[in-house]
Amino acid sequence: FLYFDKARLMYSDKVGADLRPYIDASREAANAYFDVSEAAGQLKKGEQLNLYVQNVQHALFQAGQIWYSLGSGIKLPEDLQSAIPALKRFVEYSDKGLFASSAELTENVETTLTYIGSSYFELGRMQVGIDSELTEKAIGFFEQGAEGFKELVRRFPKAKDAPLWQYQAGESYYAAQRYPDAIAEYGKVRAIDPKHESASESLYA
């Protein structure tokens, strides 16, 4: 928490500002948060009311958020790569029932899965920029992004963003040049909500 507080004090949105101190402090915070779950080892079911487990829950979510914010906001692929294991572990522990059920946990799982799908998609775009072409590595990222967005729709079919996630699944396959799959996923958007703004976008795509 102290590293994270330090990072916030170092952030500046002024043009030309040196963000390296902010990035370094943020990474220290994310690493420290992730180390909480590493120190905890393998959690066992039945411990969900334990303060120890609550700390792991908070720490994993914070670590993933910080790395994702750095990676997506400042376009740092290494931080997106770091975010994914933390985010996946948070969802894994939640699915195993290790965290106490609550509306907040459900919301955080939804947010976490959104970050995972978006991380893979952004890594794909960054990889295309690095390689100056669509390589197998970039395709792999886009495909994992598509799976992430499809998983969101599967888990939360009635969510207000479900049509958007479905559209993003189509966009991910489109970016991977898997056009038949893109068409199939785009077509599902209107079935979820024909009046959502993503419905017309998916039809155009």
Side-chain angles (χ1 to χ4, degrees):
F1 176 79
L2 291 172
Y3 281 137
F4 184 57
D5 203 41
K6 175 183 174 183
R8 286 189 297 182
L9 293 173
M10 292 178 169
Y11 180 75
S12 174
D13 57 2
K14 293 181 180 178
V15 177
D18 180 13
L19 292 178
R20 177 52 56 184
Y22 165 75
I23 293 169
D24 290 342
S26 294
R27 286 174 174 168
E28 287 181 313
N31 280 309
Y33 276 128
F34 190 68
D35 282 347
V36 173
S37 70
E38 292 286 279
Q42 288 297 314
L43 301 184
K44 295 183 176 64
K45 190 171 176 61
E47 294 180 320
Q48 61 260 47
L49 299 180
N50 189 310
L51 179 61
Y52 186 60
V53 178
Q54 292 176 15
N55 287 339
V56 172
Q57 176 181 344
H58 172 73
L60 278 174
F61 188 65
Q62 287 296 106
Q65 276 196 314
I66 293 168
W67 273 319
Y68 175 77
S69 295
L70 285 176
S72 61
I74 308 180
K75 307 302 180 187
L76 301 170
E78 61 268 38
D79 290 287
L80 288 177
Q81 292 274 24
S82 295
I84 291 170
L87 296 168
K88 284 186 172 181
R89 187 176 295 182
F90 179 85
V91 175
E92 175 194 346
Y93 284 173
S94 176
D95 287 347
K96 287 181 177 179
L98 295 172
F99 301 148
S101 298
S102 67
E104 181 183 10
L105 178 62
T106 300
E107 183 179 333
N108 287 345
V109 169
E110 180 181 315
T111 299
T112 298
L113 289 169
T114 303
Y115 288 164
I116 292 172
S118 299
S119 291
Y120 279 125
F121 185 81
E122 286 302 315
L123 282 168
R125 295 207 308 182
M126 291 177 186
Q127 196 63 46
V128 170
I130 292 168
D131 299 332
S132 299
E133 60 179 338
L134 183 65
T135 58
E136 286 300 316
K137 188 172 183 179
I139 289 172
F141 284 138
F142 287 132
E143 289 174 339
Q144 289 176 92
E147 291 304 314
F149 292 125
K150 287 159 62 179
E151 176 67 7
L152 270 164
V153 177
R154 186 187 71 78
R155 288 183 182 237
F156 306 104
K158 302 298 182 183
K160 65 179 179 63
D161 286 331
L164 174 61
W165 301 328
Q166 185 61 55
Y167 174 73
Q168 289 173 319
E171 288 286 272
S172 298
Y173 282 132
Y174 182 89
Q177 296 185 2
R178 286 181 52 176
Y179 300 129
D181 292 314
I183 290 170
E185 298 306 320
Y186 284 139
K188 296 174 185 177
V189 177
R190 297 185 298 285
I192 297 173
D193 184 356
K195 296 183 179 180
H196 193 273
E197 62 181 356
S198 293
S200 59
E201 292 175 3
S202 66
L203 184 59
Y204 180 84

